[in-house]
Amino acid sequence: MTTERMVRYVAPDNASTPVINLKAVTKEYIKPTGEIHTVLQDINLQIGKGEFCSIVGPSGCGKSTTLNLIAGFEAPTAGKIQIGGTLLQGINPSAACVFQTDNTFPWKTVIDNVSLGLRLHGMKKSEAYEQARHWIERVGLKGFENHYPSRLSGGMRKRVALAQCLIMQPEILLMDESFSALDVHTRSVMENELLSIWEETSASVVFITHDLEEAIALSDRVIVMTAGPAATIKGDYRIDLERPRNVAEIRFDPEFLKLHQQIWNDLRDEVMTSYAQLH
Amino acid sequence: MHSSTNVSQTQIEMTARKNALRSQAIRNRLRTLVLQILVFALIVGSWQLLSSRHWIDPFFFSSPVDIVKHIETWVVDGTSAGPLYEHFVVTFEETVISFIIGTILGVVMGYLLGRNKLLSDIFGPYITMLNALPRVVLAPIFIVWFGLGMPSKVALGVTLTFFIVFFNAFQGVREVDRNLVNNALLLGANQRQLARHVIIPSALTWILSSLHTSFGFALTGAVVGEFIGATKGLGFLISEAQGSFDTTGVFAGMVLLSITSLLADWLVTRLERRFVVWRSTAK
Ligand SMILES: Nc1ncnc2c1ncn2[C@@H]1O[C@H](COP(=O)(O)OP(=O)(O)OP(=O)(O)O)[C@@H](O)[C@H]1O
Ligand SMILES: [Mg+2]
């Protein structure tokens, strides 16, 4: 019996097992009126190791909900989520997340913020601080170790948030409109830095944004979602632009413009639908 | 050379402007202080005048000079029921103990109910009901239960402070940013770490701001308890004075009480500063 099982057992092929695998995922909420509100309907999505994948879609379609499901903050109503081949239950241990609003802890200094993840896993303070210093320098905040977040600018706080996630060397980096609150210049600087750090790691990134240009400039792949309710995946585009990229310049690349045109055609209808629902 | 004189000139200008701003600030502060003293002198002075001219009856209204003298006698010769500091210490002790117990209970219960929906659903209505009860009516029952000594006063003080701290802690725990909680969980926090690194620091602003009020209530609890039945304490002194129609004694007790609460308020402010460094450095 043992041998039989051994024979039938096929080792998972790491290259083909997706890091994130959403299988027929549906998410529903009960409205205060008692009706069921279907946010996501039958989502199938596989994201590979080291892939940079953006999700765009009209406001309120369920992008953040998708991210919450992958992070394990909430469980799907139907379907299942596999992370690296195993069923996700509870909090996703291999993910880190940069939220749209601040995710720095205002009562902790920069270095305490960045080293928090390591400290929570029981690392000694001196060791955690040493690694934290490295990452603080990596995101360009050297000299601000002992500042509280309230004394930093919005862009600097985003860097702290990024370092806080990256120090954990997560397999999955989740970003929910992380840069949308930044001004245009800070934003493109941060985008370039994100890319250069990501290129050194093998993390898979799920990047949610309202901004199609940002999505194309950064990603290997752009997913377009339909307008809610019962949102699902409408389009899945591969972005084969050359790397390393400069996000500020790539926007003028003819290839970029072609892709933008193509995806925007898809997205526009959904935005219109979503807009019509509001009025 | 020309440019260097320019630089030094602008520097001189800058220091001059800085000095002007600074002296302006000092002048503003001085003005406030002078006005405050004036108001005090006006009120106390007219009270003294009205009383010494017998425009108001000194028997009912006493006078500032008499009150000061009365306090002096208490300090120097002691009260009819022992030295003053004993009464002072008793009241202060009762206040501090009930403040500490009330605060700890309030924070723990607030945390538990704030984090646990089932608990808050079960206990919520009862807590609201208890809080609606005027606590002073509990004083006689506590005296029956715990006697004339300190425990009955502490019990009363605790029932007063508990609810204030509880509601603030509860609200503070509820208001914790969802994203911060999620972020900590994702970074690997367990429930205990979550409490320590996220929920308590975040709720601390709420809790600390409630401490000013709750210290005042702890003092009220102690004094009201002493009023109704005690053998020591500032409240007891006041009630004794009142019993022998000694208006000056009542006022003297009141002055001592307000000094105590001012002192307490100052201490709580110090405590607050210490705990929320991260906020005070922001401004
Ligand atoms: N906890 C919840 N209970 C009930 N409904 C919810 C809950 N969370 C989200 N929703 C609903 O799910 C839908 C999708 O929300 P979600 O935040 O995922 O949208 P989004 O695509 O991220 O929007 P945006 O681009 O504006 O951030 C919304 O209609 C929202 O009302
Ligand atoms: Mg969202």
Side-chain angles (χ1 to χ4, degrees):
Chain A
M1 222 177 108
T2 343
T3 43
E4 199 183 28
R5 205 187 273 164
M6 296 251 304
V7 172
R8 281 207 305 202
Y9 177 72
V10 182
D13 181 3
N14 269 334
S16 67
T17 312
V19 172
I20 302 169
N21 191 353
L22 276 67
K23 288 183 174 171
V25 165
T26 296
K27 181 69 189 176
E28 291 164 341
Y29 287 109
I30 295 185
K31 286 191 206 168
T33 54
E35 289 168 75
I36 302 280
H37 175 53
T38 310
V39 178
L40 301 173
Q41 175 99 56
D42 202 23
I43 301 262
N44 284 292
L45 176 63
Q46 283 81 36
I47 297 173
K49 188 174 163 69
E51 196 168 32
F52 199 123
C53 178
S54 285
I55 300 180
V56 292
S59 179
C61 71
K63 302 182 295 291
S64 298
T65 306
T66 311
L67 210 74
N68 286 346
L69 292 173
I70 297 173
F73 300 144
E74 287 173 54
T77 320
K80 58 182 175 181
I81 299 174
Q82 289 178 325
I83 301 298
T86 54
L87 188 68
L88 177 65
Q89 280 167 317
I91 296 290
N92 186 337
S94 38
C97 184
V98 182
F99 298 85
Q100 173 172 9
T101 52
D102 270 338
N103 51 333
T104 54
F105 299 93
W107 44 86
K108 290 182 181 294
T109 56
V110 169
I111 196 159
D112 281 329
N113 260 295
V114 175
S115 61
L116 181 65
L118 298 177
R119 301 277 289 136
L120 291 175
H121 283 86
M123 187 184 276
K124 274 216 318 252
K125 193 170 181 172
S126 55
E127 257 174 83
Y129 268 25
E130 202 178 303
Q131 287 198 33
R133 274 198 201 92
H134 164 77
W135 279 103
I136 289 168
E137 193 172 348
R138 186 70 188 80
V139 297
L141 283 181
K142 194 172 163 58
F144 291 94
E145 285 84 353
N146 296 317
H147 282 53
Y148 284 97
S150 52
R151 288 179 56 195
L152 304 178
S153 70
M156 287 156 100
R157 281 204 286 270
K158 274 276 122 59
R159 288 162 198 265
V160 177
L162 205 55
Q164 194 178 50
C165 289
L166 293 170
I167 199 171
M168 301 308 291
Q169 301 189 296
E171 271 178 82
I172 300 167
L173 182 60
L174 304 173
M175 303 189 73
D176 191 352
E177 303 188 27
S178 303
F179 299 153
S180 57
L182 301 177
D183 68 274
V184 189
H185 304 291
T186 317
R187 188 163 156 180
S188 70
V189 170
M190 291 291 295
E191 287 166 354
N192 274 330
E193 276 179 27
L194 174 66
L195 280 188
S196 76
I197 294 173
W198 167 75
E199 273 156 16
E200 292 168 15
T201 65
S202 57
S204 309
V205 182
V206 182
F207 192 94
I208 287 175
T209 176
H210 271 123
D211 182 350
L212 182 55
E213 286 195 20
E214 183 180 40
I216 300 172
L218 294 174
S219 316
D220 296 321
R221 190 176 162 199
V222 173
I223 309 279
V224 179
M225 286 178 75
T226 63
T232 189
I233 290 173
K234 182 176 189 187
D236 185 343
Y237 297 86
R238 195 131 283 291
I239 311 296
D240 280 322
L241 298 173
E242 213 176 306
R243 290 200 191 266
R245 300 178 191 167
N246 181 329
V247 290
E249 286 162 17
I250 202 163
R251 289 168 210 240
F252 307 109
D253 191 306
E255 194 65 28
F256 179 97
L257 294 172
K258 224 171 74 191
L259 279 163
H260 188 274
Q261 184 68 43
Q262 203 181 356
I263 304 173
W264 174 240
N265 276 338
D266 234 1
L267 183 59
R268 188 183 44 211
D269 298 343
E270 299 308 320
V271 172
M272 287 315 214
T273 314
S274 155
Y275 187 74
Q277 281 169 359
L278 288 174
H279 294 269
Chain B
M1 243 195 54
H2 186 75
S3 71
S4 83
T5 46
N6 254 350
V7 166
S8 60
Q9 227 156 31
T10 49
Q11 248 169 7
I12 290 165
E13 261 174 46
M14 272 216 322
T15 28
R17 214 169 331 125
K18 258 188 221 159
N19 286 338
L21 276 176
R22 219 168 280 150
S23 59
Q24 177 72 41
I26 292 171
R27 240 178 297 149
N28 278 346
R29 222 173 308 151
L30 222 73
R31 195 187 55 194
T32 315
L33 193 70
V34 167
L35 286 176
Q36 280 172 337
I37 293 170
L38 260 171
V39 167
F40 180 81
L42 200 74
I43 291 172
V44 172
S46 49
W47 182 4
Q48 182 64 41
L49 191 77
L50 288 171
S51 179
S52 59
R53 296 266 168 106
H54 281 79
W55 290 340
I56 56 173
D57 191 344
F59 179 76
F60 289 119
F61 294 98
S62 188
S63 73
V65 172
D66 287 344
I67 294 168
V68 172
K69 272 191 202 144
H70 200 285
I71 292 176
E72 199 188 316
T73 334
W74 270 354
V75 172
V76 178
D77 308 330
T79 66
S80 54
L84 179 66
Y85 77 90
E86 262 180 36
H87 298 283
F88 188 80
V89 166
V90 165
T91 303
F92 201 72
E93 239 177 280
E94 286 162 358
T95 307
V96 170
I97 294 174
S98 52
F99 173 72
I100 290 174
I101 296 178
T103 303
I104 292 175
L105 280 180
V107 169
V108 170
M109 288 288 285
Y111 180 82
L112 286 178
L113 267 63
R115 288 297 292 166
N116 191 322
K117 181 141 170 38
L118 183 64
L119 280 181
S120 74
D121 283 350
I122 296 171
F123 288 106
Y126 295 112
I127 289 181
T128 316
M129 212 170 81
L130 282 178
N131 187 42
L133 188 75
R135 245 54 52 70
V136 178
V137 303
L138 291 174
I141 206 82
F142 283 148
I143 288 173
V144 172
W145 287 350
F146 303 115
L148 289 179
M150 199 174 279
S152 57
K153 319 297 177 292
V154 170
L156 190 62
V158 168
T159 58
L160 284 166
T161 47
F162 168 79
F163 288 96
I164 299 165
V165 179
F166 167 80
F167 284 117
N168 275 279
F170 180 76
Q171 196 62 24
V173 167
R174 282 292 187 85
E175 302 267 305
V176 174
D177 188 345
R178 192 75 230 143
N179 281 340
L180 290 186
V181 172
N182 280 341
N183 190 28
L185 289 174
L186 215 48
L187 288 171
N190 57 31
Q191 285 303 313
R192 217 193 64 242
Q193 290 171 324
L194 191 66
R196 184 175 145 215
H197 292 283
V198 185
I199 294 163
I200 291 177
S202 165
L204 209 58
T205 351
W206 283 78
I207 295 169
L208 286 171
S209 69
S210 74
L211 295 188
H212 284 285
T213 338
S214 68
F215 205 101
F217 273 93
L219 190 64
T220 310
V223 172
V224 168
E226 287 165 359
F227 233 85
I228 292 176
T231 53
K232 279 214 158 20
L234 294 178
F236 166 75
L237 282 186
I238 294 177
S239 109
E240 279 253 299
Q242 184 229 340
S244 54
F245 297 103
D246 172 12
T247 325
T248 311
V250 175
F251 276 115
M254 274 163 48
V255 169
L256 290 178
L257 271 180
S258 31
I259 292 174
T260 319
S261 62
L262 274 180
L263 196 78
D265 206 62
W266 179 76
L267 278 174
V268 173
T269 308
R270 290 284 306 260
L271 197 77
E272 197 171 18
R273 287 237 185 91
R274 233 189 86 99
F275 272 111
V276 278
V277 193
W278 55 274
R279 224 184 23 166
S280 54
T281 50
K283 273 113 208 176

